[in-house]
Amino acid sequence: MILQRFLVRLLTMGVTLLGVSVVVFVIIRVAPGNPIAMMLPPGATQADIDRLRALYGLDRSIVEQYFIWLSGVLQGNFGTSISLRQDVMSLVLSRLPATLELSVVALLIALAIGGPLAVIGAREQGTAVEAGIDVANGAALSIPDFLWGLALILLFGVLWPIFEISGRVSPRLELPFVTQFYLFESILRLRFDLAKDLFSHMFMPALALALPLAAIVSQLLKISLKEVMTLDYVTLARVKGFSETAVILREALKNAALPTLTLVGVQFTFLIGGTVIIERLFSYEGLGNMAIDAVINRDLPLIQGIVLVFALIFVLINLAVDMMYALLNPRLRHG
């Protein structure tokens, strides 16, 4: 059952990526603007324009351009950036770790905030405490992440400057890293001085991304907990003399967390997409910031590469969540 589900998801993933590649390729080519004109000086001749158009394959039909690009992608060649004159895949891979680190830290912060709030709300159901948590969740959801980012910059960057407001790491520091996963590698190497500086730059953008997700986690997990807490085995645990908090943590939480797990996986993909604006706001050197520069410069190969990588991440995360749900759900595991 699980193997069949996995194969179906793989097929769906391939079709999805193919569809994304077609849509993105066509849209960015019919959009107004000429990327070649942005590369040439004002006195460039028509011969110069034609030469560059031929160099980047823009003199062919859209169908020809697509299949040439697709054949390159299938071989791991995403083309050359028009604005940066570098290999697209190298550029994407140099920025992707920063975005993934930011997203993972934001997810951990969201779980650290939303989980305890859900437990407290379920334990204090029907009281003013639960009502206060619901109001806080509503406020966190109603405010977009970029406004949270502006508020955090004002609070912790200007009025109470304890965190860095731009960049990924302080320029004065030497970075003896092998990979681009600076934060994770600094922790593994026990370089907590570097980890502290990296986290100081990362905290505010991660928190801005985390607050709306924390509200979603809190609200859904609280609802699931309240439903599970009416079941017989939870009532039996109360009869045995366990405290309400122990009943929630030891008996109810493991079953209530399953639907929340699925939602968190889906929301995590949206969180990664939300890094585009947040990275720009905090001048964070990630893939989202590069995506905005690529759009501004009409860098077609780079836009295509970034969007396709984002799409691949989305479908891989959804695949992982779907498989995890199937493994943890006995009805699907033994169906």
Side-chain angles (χ1 to χ4, degrees), residues 80-270:
T80 302
S81 166
I82 293 176
S83 59
L84 300 176
R85 314 291 177 86
Q86 297 180 44
D87 179 66
V88 168
M89 183 51 65
S90 299
L91 290 170
V92 170
L93 292 180
S94 68
R95 293 290 191 96
L96 180 59
T99 296
L100 292 179
E101 281 191 337
L102 178 62
S103 302
V104 170
V105 171
L107 177 63
L108 294 176
I109 292 174
L111 294 175
I113 296 173
L117 286 178
V119 172
I120 294 171
R123 188 187 63 189
E124 304 293 337
Q125 55 182 298
T127 67
V129 174
E130 183 189 12
I133 291 175
D134 290 340
V135 170
N137 289 337
L141 278 172
S142 62
I143 300 175
D145 48 22
F146 72 89
L147 285 182
W148 281 118
L150 291 173
L152 290 171
I153 289 174
L154 178 62
L155 182 61
F156 295 120
V158 179
L159 299 179
W160 190 23
I162 58 176
F163 294 107
E164 301 291 340
I165 62 174
S166 67
R168 186 184 180 192
V169 64
S170 298
R172 67 179 184 277
L173 295 177
E174 294 184 5
L175 305 177
F177 296 126
V178 177
T179 70
Q180 296 291 325
F181 291 95
Y182 292 167
L183 181 62
F184 299 154
E185 188 174 340
S186 63
I187 293 173
L188 290 175
R189 287 177 167 223
L190 304 181
R191 289 295 306 272
F192 297 115
D193 55 331
L194 295 177
K196 180 182 177 182
D197 184 83
L198 288 161
F199 187 75
S200 178
H201 286 81
M202 189 182 296
F203 177 74
M204 286 198 294
L207 182 59
L209 289 168
L211 287 173
L213 179 57
I216 294 174
V217 170
S218 173
Q219 201 66 15
L220 180 63
L221 184 56
K222 179 171 71 72
I223 293 171
S224 298
L225 283 170
K226 290 170 72 173
E227 291 176 355
V228 171
M229 287 170 66
T230 62
L231 300 180
D232 292 341
Y233 76 94
V234 177
T235 304
L236 181 60
R238 291 195 186 98
V239 172
K240 290 180 179 179
F242 293 122
S243 68
E244 194 68 8
T245 301
V247 168
I248 293 173
L249 295 179
R250 294 179 56 177
E251 304 294 335
L253 186 59
K254 57 186 177 182
N255 290 324
L258 194 56
T260 307
L261 172 67
T262 305
L263 179 74
V264 167
V266 174
Q267 290 295 324
F268 184 55
T269 60
F270 293 135

Side-chain angles (χ1 to χ4, degrees), residues 270-284:
F270 293 135
L271 184 147
I272 294 176
T275 59
V276 173
I277 297 177
I278 290 297
E279 285 182 3
R280 195 68 169 186
L281 181 63
F282 287 91
S283 299
Y284 188 81

